[in-house]
Amino acid sequence: MIAEKMKNMVANSSAIRAMFEEGNRMAKLYGAENVYDFSLGNPNVPAPEAVKNAIVELVNDSDPVVLHGYTNSNSGYADVREAVAESINERFDTTFTGENIIMTVGAAGGLNVILKSLINPGDEVIVFAPYFGEYRSYTNNYDGVLVEISPDTETFQPKLAEFEQKITPKTKAVIVNTPNNPTGVVYSEETIKEMAAIMERKQKEYGTDIYLISDEPYRELVYDGVAVPYLTKYYANTIVGYSYSKSLSLPGERIGYLVIPDEVTDSEDLRSAANVATRILGFVNAPTLQQKLVAKCLHEKTDIGFYDRNRETLYNGLKECGFACIKPEGAFYLFVKSPVEDEKQFCADGKEFHILMVPGSSFGCPGYVRLAYCVSYETIVNSLPKFRELAKKYF
Amino acid sequence: MIAEKMKNMVANSSAIRAMFEEGNRMAKLYGAENVYDFSLGNPNVPAPEAVKNAIVELVNDSDPVVLHGYTNSNSGYADVREAVAESINERFDTTFTGENIIMTVGAAGGLNVILKSLINPGDEVIVFAPYFGEYRSYTNNYDGVLVEISPDTETFQPKLAEFEQKITPKTKAVIVNTPNNPTGVVYSEETIKEMAAIMERKQKEYGTDIYLISDEPYRELVYDGVAVPYLTKYYANTIVGYSYSKSLSLPGERIGYLVIPDEVTDSEDLRSAANVATRILGFVNAPTLQQKLVAKCLHEKTDIGFYDRNRETLYNGLKECGFACIKPEGAFYLFVKSPVEDEKQFCADGKEFHILMVPGSSFGCPGYVRLAYCVSYETIVNSLPKFRELAKKYF
């Protein structure tokens, strides 16, 4: 008999994952080239050549007892944490040291570590719809309560008036994700400043600490020179969660980090708690070879051109078909308005043309679907005639 | 302000880890060769050469999009799971398929996955003292209640009469760890059969399911030809947690697996729950390169000779000094009786001679200390004169 809490989880098992498994099933049935699987953010861009070279170098030149051993601290190798801090400082004009960095099992691991460290049962965690559906599970893991801010479907920027209203004395954390999954929207500096001012006001009003958790797996994936503000510079109680899954195309390797700045309330306690949470949640430490690897690849650049071409082609193609969609400034997702009210119907219709899309209700935003365009360019090009056929059903 | 549940955890942060960090501090201060750090199970045997070769082969010959990508199922690569199942079947005459295997972020990740899948708040988890202290944290993560069976300090075999008494209708799981950390004791087939009979009786009596979780990171580390029974063959509701940390000397890489046999009650639900738990706890999937790596190294053997020499030398050396200790049949730990009642005092005395040991109270068994002899042979040899000096304090 499985745990009560897991029963619903199993029943509603991630629609994204289910889609992904369905995509694999269909690929076997119809041939991979005849399935247009936009379901999962699994980058199709290979890891840079430097990743391969770094791995070979590491296993050839390192003492395996150290390379594959437990790290001295559960928070990671000291030299890796130092290198990560320096790289952030260089790029964002911050002043972190290795002590501010906790190496994590990807951003998902990092978010669990920080929520475990912060959340008491009943504490509220605010998210802005549409949001990555896993935030609900992560919050639920620690008996927190997810509070949704409704989506602004004009701009998909956060609704700040509603945000201010929904902050209560129980609000412990606010999760933002910019560039955003599933919309690709980037929050402007103006927006960030307003959010920070609201949180400052509410912290004072309630005498509480409200931690801003910035989930940043898509930081490097921005187009047209758009700037993504570094949030620790706008609000003291900010924690950053980062992942190399997308920037170095290493999603399966589970490597990322948390930044817990000195300016955060109870920073030292929080870093100790994150260190302990890393251990007791069973991560123990971020995979060691991957830690050393990313430290060697801090200057590698993501192949933005690849994603940009996909973005332009798919966005323009869908518009031509008559679909409505905001043009993403970052990440590798398009969030498309469903031409029928029930977007699950739209997803089902798509499947008839071997097009796999994830319903917006998985992101707290029904009436829309998410397309992950981190697929091959051929998939994009070949999908367009299918979208045209699909469009005929509605327009 | 960190979470209430974490405050104690941070305060009592693992004595083992604290020791390990202390060891590093002392090594810097006095030189590594003058510190006898027996605190952590971080193998000093390098990973076999085959590990290096397999990694180089994998990065040279695989499509990086697949090698470093998300796995189709959160439970791991299908081919890896199949290979692991076959390897178990070969060695233990079982009949598992890949469906019974969940690849995990080490045994610690696996234990968290299975406890998350099983435990409702208030459910009881039975452990036999002395036990790996993390079982307490893992159980606490899911609001389970740890129930200790007191140690039999004559044999360090499980006290079965007390076990039977302490099983209640709330008992959801029993964790066994054989070869045992911290004693090195292996449970005999006889013991296993009796335990199984007790659990069968209690399941019937209460109409409940009691899951036996076998934590087996030390399965391959046995001496003198001792046999370690494969527990799924003795009790239907058995789940195995395995790790390659010790057998392939990859503790930092975080790779292991769970076996959930078909015979387990609600096996399919439990496997689905474990798949979902892997995702929502933030593991997402076991590190992919490591999955492929272990599949290539399933026939590699641990260098038992190395540990055996350490075992004999340290065991005999300590006995000669006058210390009392059961001779371990497996793992790489000695569990030594403290010559003074408060074993923390003994640990403190040892530190004066740069000898680092972990107090038995970390394992629910005060009055004893654990020595991890997975260190270099030189450390063992050079520590013996220090132990002799230390012994003079007491004998």
Side-chain angles (χ1 to χ4, degrees):
Chain A
M1 189 70 78
I2 64 171
E4 286 301 322
K5 227 178 162 178
M6 291 302 290
K7 284 185 184 165
N8 269 336
M9 297 270 183
V10 169
N12 307 327
S13 182
S14 168
I16 300 177
R17 273 285 164 175
M19 253 324 161
F20 184 63
E21 296 188 12
E22 172 72 5
N24 283 294
R25 198 190 60 80
M26 287 175 71
K28 269 192 200 150
L29 215 58
Y30 307 114
E33 70 285 7
N34 299 315
V35 177
Y36 314 100
D37 185 350
F38 297 102
S39 64
L40 197 73
N42 204 4
N44 198 270
V45 174
E49 193 69 9
V51 161
K52 182 164 110 182
N53 299 338
I55 293 177
V56 173
E57 244 176 74
L58 282 165
V59 295
N60 280 328
D61 304 346
S62 319
D63 176 358
V65 169
V66 176
L67 182 63
H68 305 302
Y70 290 126
T71 55
N72 288 352
S73 156
N74 298 102
S75 301
Y77 287 118
D79 61 333
V80 170
R81 295 164 70 192
E82 208 56 61
V84 167
E86 275 168 31
S87 143
I88 300 171
N89 293 343
E90 264 172 40
R91 285 175 295 151
F92 306 113
D93 194 25
T94 48
T95 56
F96 301 124
T97 71
E99 293 293 310
N100 300 115
I101 309 296
I102 315 265
M103 300 305 295
T104 61
V105 170
L111 287 175
N112 272 280
V113 162
I114 199 66
L115 291 172
K116 170 89 177 163
S117 302
L118 284 173
I119 299 300
N120 291 310
D123 280 353
E124 291 168 0
V125 176
I126 295 181
V127 295
F128 299 91
Y131 59 89
F132 181 45
E134 294 293 68
Y135 297 155
R136 177 171 295 281
S137 310
Y138 301 162
T139 301
N140 182 263
N141 283 341
Y142 312 103
D143 298 313
V145 177
L146 201 78
V147 175
E148 289 183 15
I149 309 301
S150 66
D152 171 352
T153 53
E154 287 301 305
T155 65
F156 289 111
Q157 291 283 336
K159 278 189 179 168
L160 295 181
E162 184 179 333
F163 174 52
E164 182 151 18
Q165 276 174 359
K166 284 194 173 164
I167 297 177
T168 77
K170 301 222 82 174
T171 304
K172 189 67 170 279
V174 176
I175 305 178
V176 295
N177 174 220
T178 162
N180 184 263
N181 172 11
T183 65
V185 159
V186 174
Y187 294 0
S188 68
E189 189 179 27
E190 211 43 46
T191 302
I192 298 300
K193 282 182 175 168
E194 280 180 52
M195 284 187 71
I198 290 168
M199 286 188 283
E200 295 286 7
R201 275 203 299 278
K202 288 292 178 179
Q203 285 194 136
K204 266 199 197 126
E205 182 182 336
Y206 297 133
T208 56
D209 284 298
I210 303 171
Y211 294 90
L212 178 64
I213 300 173
S214 181
D215 179 27
E216 308 197 344
Y218 306 104
R219 166 161 287 281
E220 274 78 31
L221 273 65
V222 284
Y223 310 105
D224 310 329
V226 166
V228 183
Y230 206 80
L231 300 197
T232 60
K233 299 167 78 172
Y234 298 86
Y235 181 68
N237 269 339
T238 299
I239 292 142
V240 175
Y242 184 81
S243 162
Y244 292 96
S245 293
K246 323 296 178 178
S247 58
L248 289 179
S249 290
L250 297 172
E253 303 294 1
R254 316 307 304 130
I255 183 74
Y257 59 79
L258 288 170
V259 185
I260 305 180
D262 291 342
E263 292 74 16
V264 162
T265 306
D266 297 323
S267 178
E268 211 179 313
D269 274 1
L270 190 53
R271 283 179 271 153
S272 298
N275 187 64
V276 172
T278 297
R279 201 189 82 222
I280 67 179
L281 286 174
F283 300 115
V284 182
N285 52 235
T288 45
L289 173 63
Q290 299 299 327
Q291 287 192 46
K292 291 285 187 188
L293 167 66
V294 298
K296 276 179 166 278
C297 294
L298 289 170
H299 291 92
E300 285 304 309
K301 297 261 179 279
T302 316
D303 186 357
I304 279 295
F306 174 92
Y307 294 120
D308 199 10
R309 184 168 71 154
N310 280 1
R311 175 182 74 129
E312 293 289 351
T313 308
L314 187 60
Y315 174 77
N316 292 327
L318 292 179
K319 294 288 271 191
E320 276 165 29
C321 294
F323 293 108
C325 175
I326 198 163
K327 189 169 185 183
E329 296 183 297
F332 42 48
Y333 305 107
L334 281 181
F335 205 55
V336 180
K337 191 165 167 50
S338 168
V340 288
E341 202 188 329
D342 176 6
E343 90 276 10
K344 286 179 183 162
Q345 184 55 51
F346 179 46
C347 290
D349 292 348
K351 256 168 85 173
E352 283 176 31
F353 297 91
H354 303 175
I355 296 171
L356 297 182
M357 307 176 285
V358 181
S361 44
S362 299
F363 306 94
C365 190
Y368 290 79
V369 298
R370 188 191 77 171
L371 300 179
Y373 58 79
C374 50
V375 297
S376 76
Y377 184 62
E378 290 63 43
T379 301
I380 305 267
V381 170
N382 294 334
S383 73
L384 290 178
K386 302 292 172 184
F387 275 112
R388 264 191 293 278
E389 289 181 61
L390 175 61
K392 283 186 198 140
K393 285 190 99 126
Y394 315 109
F395 308 120
Chain B
M1 191 70 77
I2 65 171
E4 286 301 323
K5 227 177 162 179
M6 291 302 288
K7 283 184 186 167
N8 269 338
M9 297 270 185
V10 169
N12 307 328
S13 182
S14 167
I16 301 178
R17 274 284 165 176
M19 252 326 160
F20 184 63
E21 297 189 11
E22 173 73 5
N24 283 294
R25 197 190 61 79
M26 286 175 72
K28 268 191 200 149
L29 215 56
Y30 307 112
E33 70 284 7
N34 299 313
V35 177
Y36 315 99
D37 185 350
F38 297 101
S39 63
L40 198 74
N42 204 3
N44 197 271
V45 174
E49 193 69 10
V51 161
K52 182 165 110 180
N53 299 338
I55 293 177
V56 172
E57 242 177 76
L58 282 165
V59 295
N60 280 329
D61 304 346
S62 320
D63 176 358
V65 169
V66 177
L67 182 63
H68 305 302
Y70 291 126
T71 54
N72 289 352
S73 156
N74 297 102
S75 301
Y77 288 117
D79 60 335
V80 171
R81 295 164 70 193
E82 209 55 60
V84 167
E86 275 167 32
S87 142
I88 300 171
N89 293 344
E90 264 172 42
R91 285 175 295 150
F92 307 112
D93 193 25
T94 48
T95 55
F96 302 124
T97 71
E99 293 293 309
N100 299 114
I101 308 296
I102 317 264
M103 300 305 294
T104 62
V105 171
L111 287 176
N112 271 280
V113 162
I114 199 66
L115 291 172
K116 170 90 177 164
S117 301
L118 283 174
I119 300 298
N120 291 310
D123 279 354
E124 292 168 358
V125 176
I126 294 181
V127 294
F128 299 91
Y131 58 88
F132 181 45
E134 295 294 68
Y135 297 155
R136 178 172 295 280
S137 310
Y138 302 162
T139 301
N140 182 264
N141 283 341
Y142 311 103
D143 298 313
V145 176
L146 200 78
V147 175
E148 289 183 16
I149 309 302
S150 66
D152 171 351
T153 53
E154 288 301 307
T155 64
F156 290 112
Q157 291 283 335
K159 277 190 181 169
L160 295 181
E162 184 179 334
F163 174 52
E164 181 149 20
Q165 274 174 0
K166 284 195 172 162
I167 297 177
T168 78
K170 300 222 83 173
T171 304
K172 190 65 171 279
V174 176
I175 305 179
V176 295
N177 173 218
T178 164
N180 184 262
N181 172 10
T183 64
V185 159
V186 175
Y187 295 180
S188 68
E189 190 179 28
E190 209 43 47
T191 303
I192 298 300
K193 281 182 175 166
E194 280 180 50
M195 284 187 70
I198 291 168
M199 287 188 284
E200 295 287 6
R201 276 203 299 277
K202 287 293 178 178
Q203 286 194 137
K204 266 199 196 127
E205 179 182 339
Y206 297 134
T208 56
D209 283 299
I210 303 171
Y211 294 89
L212 178 64
I213 301 173
S214 182
D215 179 27
E216 307 197 345
Y218 306 103
R219 165 161 288 282
E220 274 78 30
L221 273 65
V222 283
Y223 310 105
D224 310 329
V226 166
V228 184
Y230 206 79
L231 302 197
T232 61
K233 299 167 79 172
Y234 298 86
Y235 181 68
N237 269 340
T238 298
I239 292 143
V240 175
Y242 184 82
S243 163
Y244 292 95
S245 292
K246 322 295 180 182
S247 58
L248 290 179
S249 290
L250 296 172
E253 303 295 1
R254 317 307 304 129
I255 184 74
Y257 59 79
L258 288 170
V259 185
I260 306 179
D262 291 343
E263 291 73 17
V264 161
T265 308
D266 297 324
S267 178
E268 210 179 315
D269 274 0
L270 190 54
R271 282 179 272 153
S272 298
N275 187 63
V276 171
T278 298
R279 202 188 81 222
I280 66 177
L281 286 174
F283 300 114
V284 181
N285 52 238
T288 44
L289 174 62
Q290 299 300 327
Q291 287 191 47
K292 290 285 187 187
L293 167 65
V294 298
K296 275 179 168 279
C297 294
L298 289 170
H299 291 92
E300 285 304 311
K301 296 262 179 277
T302 315
D303 184 356
I304 279 295
F306 174 92
Y307 293 120
D308 199 9
R309 184 169 70 153
N310 281 0
R311 175 181 73 127
E312 294 287 352
T313 310
L314 188 59
Y315 174 77
N316 292 328
L318 292 179
K319 294 288 271 190
E320 277 164 29
C321 293
F323 294 108
C325 175
I326 197 163
K327 190 168 184 183
E329 297 183 297
F332 42 48
Y333 304 107
L334 281 183
F335 205 54
V336 180
K337 189 163 170 53
S338 169
V340 287
E341 202 187 330
D342 177 6
E343 91 276 12
K344 285 178 184 163
Q345 184 55 51
F346 180 46
C347 290
D349 293 347
K351 255 169 87 171
E352 282 176 33
F353 297 90
H354 303 173
I355 296 170
L356 297 181
M357 309 175 284
V358 182
S361 44
S362 299
F363 305 94
C365 189
Y368 289 78
V369 299
R370 188 192 78 172
L371 300 180
Y373 58 80
C374 51
V375 297
S376 76
Y377 184 62
E378 289 64 42
T379 300
I380 305 265
V381 170
N382 295 332
S383 74
L384 290 179
K386 301 292 172 185
F387 274 112
R388 264 191 293 277
E389 288 182 60
L390 175 60
K392 283 186 199 142
K393 284 190 100 128
Y394 316 108
F395 309 119

